[in-house]
Amino acid sequence: MKREDINNLAQLVQLEKLEKLYKEIDKDNKVQVLTPPTEQTLLVPVRDPISNSDFYAGEVLVTSTIVQVNDTKGWSMVMDTNESLSLYTAVIDAAFEADIFKEKIVTILEEAKSQDSLNKEKINQKVNATRVSFDLM
Amino acid sequence: MAYYAIKGGEEAIKNSLDFYGDITKESEKLDDKDLIEGLTYSIDRVISEGSLYTKKLAAQAIKRSAGDLLNASFFLRAHRSSCQRIGIAKTVDINDMRLTRRISSAFKDIEGGQLLGPSNDYEIKLLVDLENIETNIEEYSTKDNIIKSAMSPLREDNLIKILPKEDKPWDITRSYPTEPYPRSAVLQVMARAETGSLLCVGYTTMRGYGDIHPTIGDLRIGELDIEFTHPFTKNEVKVGSIEATAVECVGTFNQDEDGDTKLTTGFGFCFGKNETKAISMSMIDLSLYNTHYSVGGEHIIAADFDMIMHHLDGIESFGMTNHFKLPHYVTFQTDYQIFKSAQKYTDDKKEEEKGLAK
């Protein structure tokens, strides 16, 4: 697992599990919140197929946090307004980089990834069940 | 003319707000998650017209406005302006969409097939109890559907008219352009426009004021990944994914800049699941940039850039229309006094003429 996978995968984990992990990290390490969870927006450019140029379709609301665990900085940017999720994810990002609870982090995130894949497969089955080729009359 | 500042009435305003709270308070009992999942199309309309992708706040906004979706979009637009913009995500391409629905009415057999997805297009719209239909989908594939647009093969064969490339997209939220409007600004205006307004203008093209009958080349609904740069590793990170709708409609034939005859197309895109909006946008796009075969007179609303750029935003038109409710006492009294003076002048004149006649 790469550090870049954490931001997305942590959002798939149950919040209670993330909170527990965050508390374990916080217990034996110095966790500092450098930038508290803050609502921000990201502009979304979309490729226009007709001119092959970009245009802005709107903005996505995200919640970002920057923390420091001992000497390592961590960051998160999660979808929507989600202060706790953003804080826990940033701490996990730093802990992963600093090799703190790394194995446990990987296990929890991999579990969430597997569950998410199963959920997606079920949705895909529903989508694929609607594939149609109408007969011409 | 404008409305004038007023003062006083604090108690009546407070009581009015309290009364409004009384008649809408039941909405607060609705669970946000139930709203997001149960009224998913309402949520999607609000995030699209509010131009801010946040399902959580859209649920709260719908509750605060007791189901008035335009009012709810206003809440989101206002919230958007109170947030810091941290940056620009990586460009999303509709060909990368993980599809839940994808149809083409132009081509019967397309790569990846037609996917009806979740739709009630084929349901008879009668409010009778729904039959509980049992389905068995175990035998179907679990694989993702990431399929190129049905228009891609024609585009690769250079059969589709292309428009000039822009170096950098315009951002209408920072500065509003004047004519000639950059295409990126026109598309941005329509992507955040009010659905009903787009539908109305799009419909004019079907009723005899435009290209009359486009065909849906590719209509897709699905998920797109939002990516941003990790500030410490400087690598791309997936922030999450958004649901979106995209439509490419096909018009007739037209000449491109080199004089070659090509198929004309229009593009529509919006946040969430909103086919009507995306179809309408694609039809207006088609009309704006391909007037050659338009019928219905010289002045076609759907081909008028000024009309499109200044009349489709729901929040602006909603605000402007509702501002008429605010006290215009001075404005009206001025008009009224002028009217009365003119009337008196006319009456005096008539009397004077009568006197002279005698």
Side-chain angles (χ1 to χ4, degrees):
Chain A
M1 181 181 287
K2 295 190 305 244
R3 184 180 182 185
E4 284 76 18
D5 296 327
I6 290 170
N7 190 69
N8 174 49
L9 294 180
Q11 296 179 65
L12 307 175
V13 182
Q14 283 177 324
L15 195 65
E16 295 75 21
K17 268 191 187 176
L18 278 188
E19 187 181 12
K20 200 176 160 202
L21 183 57
Y22 158 76
K23 282 180 177 168
E24 284 180 59
I25 296 166
D26 188 38
K27 194 178 161 194
D28 299 324
N29 299 277
K30 191 182 176 193
V31 174
Q32 289 174 270
V33 178
L34 303 180
T35 307
T38 310
E39 283 184 10
Q40 294 166 327
T41 71
L42 265 186
L43 205 51
V44 180
V46 176
R47 179 61 45 88
D48 161 31
I50 299 174
S51 65
N52 205 25
S53 317
D54 294 350
F55 72 97
Y56 298 125
E59 284 162 79
V60 172
L61 187 71
V62 294
T63 310
S64 306
T65 308
I66 297 175
V67 297
Q68 187 165 321
V69 177
N70 301 334
D71 297 323
T72 308
K73 283 182 181 172
W75 168 87
S76 77
M77 180 181 276
V78 303
M79 293 290 283
D80 222 317
T81 172
N82 268 314
E83 290 190 3
S84 303
L85 176 63
S86 183
L87 174 66
Y88 304 155
T89 304
V91 169
I92 290 165
D93 180 59
F96 181 88
E97 181 63 11
D99 222 346
I100 300 164
F101 288 105
K102 194 167 185 175
E103 210 171 305
K104 195 166 188 177
I105 291 170
V106 171
T107 305
I108 288 174
L109 297 188
E110 289 286 0
E111 274 174 15
K113 188 181 176 184
S114 301
Q115 187 54 51
D116 185 60
S117 296
L118 285 175
N119 295 342
K120 280 189 176 139
E121 283 179 5
K122 281 181 186 166
I123 292 170
N124 287 343
Q125 264 187 324
K126 288 183 182 180
V127 173
N128 287 319
T130 67
R131 183 172 275 105
V132 67
S133 177
F134 291 115
D135 293 325
L136 293 177
M137 289 179 76
Chain B
M1 288 293 181
Y3 66 91
Y4 284 78
I6 48 162
K7 64 177 184 175
E10 285 89 349
E11 192 169 348
I13 292 169
K14 190 169 143 288
N15 291 338
S16 173
L17 264 174
D18 187 56
F19 196 5
Y20 180 79
D22 275 351
I23 66 162
T24 58
K25 68 182 177 193
E26 290 298 309
S27 66
E28 287 303 322
K29 291 181 183 168
L30 300 169
D31 184 61
D32 285 359
K33 192 166 174 284
D34 288 345
L35 263 181
I36 291 169
E37 291 174 4
L39 296 182
T40 178
Y41 292 96
S42 298
I43 295 281
D44 286 1
R45 186 161 175 166
V46 169
I47 58 173
S48 172
E49 294 173 11
S51 195
L52 184 64
Y53 198 98
T54 160
K55 295 204 172 191
K56 277 186 170 182
L57 295 186
Q60 286 179 29
I62 289 172
K63 291 199 293 190
R64 280 288 290 278
S65 51
D68 179 339
L69 299 187
L70 196 46
N71 210 345
S73 305
F74 200 161
F75 275 102
L76 282 208
R77 192 72 73 84
H79 191 82
R80 188 200 72 84
S81 65
S82 72
C83 294
Q84 177 206 19
R85 182 186 287 168
I86 188 68
I88 303 171
K90 193 179 164 192
T91 299
V92 296
D93 188 326
I94 60 159
N95 292 303
D96 300 329
M97 198 180 257
R98 282 185 303 282
L99 299 165
T100 51
R101 172 165 163 81
R102 186 272 196 128
I103 54 167
S104 172
S105 53
F107 306 102
K108 182 176 169 295
D109 298 308
I110 44 175
E111 186 193 341
Q114 311 249 5
L115 299 164
L116 296 181
S119 170
N120 72 347
D121 278 355
Y122 299 95
E123 183 186 35
I124 296 168
K125 301 290 191 292
L126 284 176
L127 289 170
V128 292
D129 289 339
L130 294 173
E131 271 183 61
N132 201 3
I133 309 160
E134 280 195 20
T135 53
N136 182 8
I137 58 166
E138 291 304 313
E139 65 189 84
Y140 290 97
S141 164
T142 58
K143 284 185 181 167
D144 278 341
N145 287 289
I146 301 173
I147 308 161
K148 277 186 180 177
S149 163
M151 301 307 294
S152 292
L154 279 75
R155 199 160 267 127
E156 284 157 12
D157 287 343
N158 199 24
L159 297 174
I160 294 180
K161 181 181 166 186
I162 56 167
L163 292 171
K165 195 174 166 64
E166 276 178 46
D167 293 335
K168 199 176 166 221
W170 192 282
D171 180 13
I172 59 159
T173 66
R174 289 291 188 261
S175 82
Y176 214 82
T178 52
E179 274 195 302
Y181 300 106
R183 176 169 170 77
S184 56
V186 176
L187 293 177
Q188 187 181 13
V189 162
M190 291 200 280
R192 53 196 255 139
E194 200 261 332
T195 306
S197 305
L198 274 178
L199 175 63
C200 170
V201 177
Y203 193 42
T204 63
T205 69
M206 291 173 248
R207 300 291 295 185
Y209 299 94
D211 207 349
I212 305 296
H213 199 305
T215 313
I216 304 296
D218 188 281
L219 182 157
R220 52 183 53 216
I221 297 176
E223 284 189 343
L224 289 162
D225 287 349
I226 297 296
E227 294 180 345
F228 194 60
T229 310
H230 193 297
F232 304 133
T233 69
K234 306 295 178 198
N235 293 325
E236 293 291 329
V237 170
K238 181 176 168 184
V239 177
S241 55
I242 58 167
E243 278 185 299
T245 308
V247 171
E248 286 179 85
C249 75
V250 194
T252 173
F253 305 95
N254 206 334
Q255 283 187 328
D256 65 8
E257 283 183 321
D258 302 326
D260 295 331
T261 304
K262 299 277 172 67
L263 268 176
T264 58
T265 58
F267 184 57
F269 181 95
C270 60
F271 284 164
K273 304 174 289 295
N274 193 340
E275 296 177 18
T276 305
K277 179 172 176 175
I279 293 170
S280 304
M281 178 175 165
S282 72
M283 290 188 304
I284 297 169
D285 185 35
L286 183 69
S287 290
L288 283 170
Y289 291 94
N290 303 284
T291 51
H292 189 71
Y293 285 99
S294 292
V295 295
E298 287 294 304
H299 196 76
I300 297 160
I301 292 173
D304 183 332
F305 281 96
D306 269 330
M307 191 62 80
I308 300 306
M309 290 297 285
H310 295 286
H311 298 93
L312 298 180
D313 191 86
I315 315 305
E316 281 176 16
S317 52
F318 168 92
M320 194 64 187
T321 304
N322 277 284
H323 105 277
F324 289 121
K325 294 185 292 192
L326 299 172
H328 281 67
Y329 310 136
V330 178
T331 313
F332 179 71
Q333 285 303 322
T334 309
D335 285 346
Y336 187 61
Q337 286 305 323
I338 293 169
F339 167 68
K340 293 293 281 182
S341 301
Q343 200 175 42
K344 187 173 178 300
Y345 175 80
T346 312
D347 290 346
D348 290 350
K349 194 93 177 162
K350 277 180 189 166
E351 287 298 319
E352 197 181 303
E353 283 168 5
K354 270 185 199 171
L356 283 174
K358 282 175 187 173

